[in-house]
Amino acid sequence: MNLWAPLDPKNIQDPFPMYAVLRQKAPIYKSQTGEWIISRYADVKEILKDPDFKSGNKLEWINRGITYFKNKGEDLSHIAVAINSFLLLINPPEHTRIRKFINSVWDNKEVDQLILENIDTLLNTKKRFKTIDIVDDFAKPLPNMTICKIMGISISHYERLSVLSNNLVKVLNLYNSFKDLVRIDAAAQSLISLFKELLETKKNNPGNDLISKLITGNDGEPEPLSDEALISIFIFLFIAGQETTIGLISTGLLHLSQHPDQLKELIRKPELAPRAVDELLRYDGPVHLLGRIAARDTQFDGQHIREGDAVTLCLASANRDDQYFENPDLLDISRHPNRHIAFGSGIHFCLGDWLAKRQGTLAIGKFIEIYPKYHIPDQTPQWNDNLSIRTIRHLSCSI
C-alpha cells in the first residue's frame, strides 16, 4: 500500500488523513519515488536542527535539468541565476554569510503602519460590495503591496510582479514538468531584468528602502557580493513571503469561518489575535513540506537513511502530532504554549516569519473587525496543486 500520495486530488483537498496514517503506521517512510517521508514532530524538528541534513537538492536538480535541456536546444538557465542565493536552498557557509548580511540592514521599524495602510486601501475599495474574493481581493495583493513599499518598488508594478513571483515560486514544488520549467524560466528572466534595472537605478540614486540599504551595505562588505547574487537576493526577499502570507490570511479566515465558536471568541477578545495566528499556523500553516539531503548515514526509528538520500519533512503533519499537542485536530485560538514549527527550525528558520505573522495578525484582525458577519458559502474550496506550499485558488465571501 502506498502511504505517500501528495498529488492525489483527495490529498490536495485534505492531506491530514494521509499524514495521520503516516504518523501511526510508518513515521519514517520510504516512498515509491525514493525519498524518505518524515511525519512526527520530534523527528521533523531533530532533522531541521541537524547540520548533517542539508537544505534540499533543488539547486542541484535544477542545474542538472538545465544541462539536460540545453543539450536539446532549450535554455532554462535564468532559473538557476534567479534562485542562486535563495536562503532556503543554500547551506553554510554561504547561507550564514547572506543571512547575516540581510539581517544587518533589514529592520521592522514602521512596518505595522505600512501594513495597516495597505489593509485600509484594499478593504475600503470593497465596502460598497456584497461579496469579495478573499484571495484575489485581499490576501494576494496585501503582501505584494507591503514588500513593494519596504523594498522601494513602485506600487504600480505590483500586479505584474505578483504574476511573475507566483510563477517563479513554483520552482519549489515537489515535482516540475518541462512545461512548468519553461514558465518558471520566463518568469525568472523577467524578474532578473526588472531587478537589474532597479539595482542600477538605486546605485545612482539610493533611498531609505531595503534595496538601497542592501546595495550600500554590500559596498561596505570585505568581500562584496556580485550584482548577480544581489539580484537573486532581491528576488528571494520579494517572493519569499508572498505565497506563505497569502495562505496564512486566506486559509486562516476559512478555518475561522468553519469554527464559529473560535471566530466569536476572537471578535470578543481581539487581543487574542497573535495567539490565534500562531494556532492557525499550527492547525494548517501554508508550508506543509520541506526538503533535506542526508549528509551522512543515520538511523531513525529502525530505518537506515543513507548519505545522499532525499528527505521530505512534513511540517503540517508534525504540527498535528498528538504526542506533542493536546487535541491536535482541534482549532483552539487560546492554545498556549504553542511551539509549532510552521516556519521551520534551525538555521533555515524562515527569515521573514515576523513579517508574515504581523501581516496575518493585522489582516485577519482588521477583516473580522470590519466584517464580523462574513460568510464563506463554499466550505470546500479548490486548492492549488502544490502540497509544499498549500494555498487556496479563490475564496468567495459574503460581507
Side-chain angles (χ1 to χ4, degrees):
M1 180 181 178
N2 182 21
L3 302 182
W4 178 242
L7 301 181
D8 188 317
K10 71 177 182 181
N11 291 330
I12 293 289
Q13 187 67 33
D14 181 8
F16 291 99
M18 176 178 68
Y19 297 153
V21 171
L22 282 165
R23 288 195 306 272
Q24 182 181 10
K25 293 187 175 182
I28 314 294
Y29 178 68
K30 188 67 174 287
S31 73
Q32 290 181 327
T33 48
E35 74 266 31
W36 292 95
I37 311 301
I38 315 296
S39 54
R40 290 186 305 205
Y41 184 96
D43 297 330
V44 169
K45 191 164 185 179
E46 182 177 345
I47 290 175
L48 284 170
K49 296 175 79 69
D50 189 337
D52 285 325
F53 283 89
K54 305 297 185 182
S55 185
N57 62 342
K58 179 62 74 170
L59 275 173
E60 179 185 339
W61 183 89
I62 287 292
N63 284 322
R64 286 204 306 265
I66 288 170
T67 301
Y68 173 80
F69 287 115
K70 185 177 182 180
N71 293 333
K72 294 182 175 295
E74 298 286 347
D75 182 10
L76 302 175
S77 59
H78 301 98
I79 302 175
V81 174
I83 69 174
N84 193 51
S85 296
F86 277 27
L87 283 177
L88 71 165
L89 300 178
I90 58 178
N91 294 293
E94 185 183 13
H95 174 275
T96 307
R97 177 193 177 193
I98 292 178
R99 189 179 183 109
K100 183 178 179 181
F101 168 58
I102 295 171
N103 279 328
S104 71
V105 301
W106 193 7
D107 60 52
N108 60 358
K109 295 176 182 177
E110 300 177 359
V111 166
D112 279 15
Q113 187 60 35
L114 281 179
I115 297 169
L116 287 169
E117 288 173 1
N118 290 334
I119 290 171
D120 287 342
T121 296
L122 292 168
L123 294 184
N124 284 337
T125 61
K126 298 297 176 182
K127 281 186 175 179
R128 65 181 184 275
F129 293 90
K130 293 183 179 180
T131 63
I132 67 169
D133 187 301
I134 288 176
V135 176
D136 291 338
D137 297 331
F138 188 47
K140 187 176 287 187
L142 177 60
N144 205 318
M145 292 165 69
T146 299
I147 200 64
C148 276
K149 287 187 178 181
I150 290 172
M151 296 184 73
I153 302 169
S154 171
I155 203 69
S156 62
H157 294 317
Y158 93 82
E159 288 188 5
R160 178 166 176 261
L161 283 168
S162 179
V163 173
L164 293 174
S165 64
N166 287 343
N167 284 331
L168 182 61
V169 81
K170 290 180 174 62
V171 76
L172 303 178
N173 288 4
L174 281 178
Y175 314 105
N176 294 118
S177 67
F178 173 69
K179 288 183 178 179
D180 293 332
L181 292 176
V182 170
R183 285 192 292 268
I184 293 167
D185 186 77
Q189 185 173 7
S190 295
L191 285 165
I192 291 167
S193 177
L194 190 150
F195 280 104
K196 183 177 182 180
E197 184 179 335
L198 277 170
L199 175 68
E200 295 302 323
T201 299
K202 292 182 182 294
K203 273 185 177 180
N204 297 323
N205 187 25
N208 194 39
D209 54 82
L210 182 55
I211 289 180
S212 296
K213 290 177 181 178
L214 287 166
I215 294 169
T216 303
N218 188 54
D219 290 341
E221 288 284 300
E223 297 181 17
L225 297 165
S226 66
D227 284 357
E228 186 176 274
L230 278 177
I231 289 169
S232 179
I233 291 170
F234 298 162
I235 295 172
F236 168 71
L237 290 173
F238 184 83
I239 75 169
Q242 297 292 310
E243 291 296 301
T244 52
T245 306
I246 293 167
L248 169 57
I249 295 170
S250 55
T251 307
L253 287 169
L254 171 66
H255 287 311
L256 285 171
S257 75
Q258 293 173 334
H259 297 80
D261 60 324
Q262 298 297 293
L263 177 57
K264 288 177 182 177
E265 181 70 359
L266 185 54
I267 292 171
R268 191 172 71 87
K269 296 181 179 178
E271 67 274 13
L272 284 177
R275 279 193 190 180
V277 165
D278 269 320
E279 176 64 351
L280 290 166
L281 285 165
R282 183 204 66 82
Y283 185 77
D284 190 4
V287 181
H288 276 226
L289 311 174
L290 288 177
R292 292 291 185 267
I293 300 296
R296 58 173 174 80
D297 288 4
T298 189
Q299 293 286 334
F300 262 95
D301 197 35
Q303 299 288 352
H304 184 60
I305 299 178
R306 298 183 181 278
E307 178 182 346
D309 281 359
V311 176
T312 294
L313 305 175
C314 299
L315 270 63
S317 173
N319 284 330
R320 295 280 190 104
D321 189 340
D322 63 5
Q323 296 299 307
Y324 200 85
F325 296 98
E326 186 177 352
N327 297 319
D329 295 322
L330 177 70
L331 181 70
D332 177 7
I333 64 168
S334 63
R335 188 184 296 271
H336 185 76
N338 190 344
R339 297 186 178 91
H340 66 78
I341 50 174
F343 289 115
S345 188
I347 64 167
H348 285 92
F349 183 79
C350 178
L351 181 74
D353 69 302
W354 60 271
L355 182 58
K357 287 175 73 171
R358 285 310 293 156
Q359 290 194 89
T361 300
L362 293 171
I364 291 172
K366 197 71 174 177
F367 189 91
I368 65 174
E369 175 190 330
I370 296 175
Y371 307 121
K373 296 182 180 179
Y374 79 94
H375 173 64
I376 298 172
D378 183 3
Q379 296 289 304
T380 56
Q382 188 175 11
W383 297 81
N384 286 302
D385 297 333
N386 177 14
L387 206 54
S388 296
I389 301 177
R390 186 167 177 261
T391 54
I392 303 168
R393 292 185 181 180
H394 301 285
L395 194 60
S396 181
C397 171
S398 301
I399 54 175

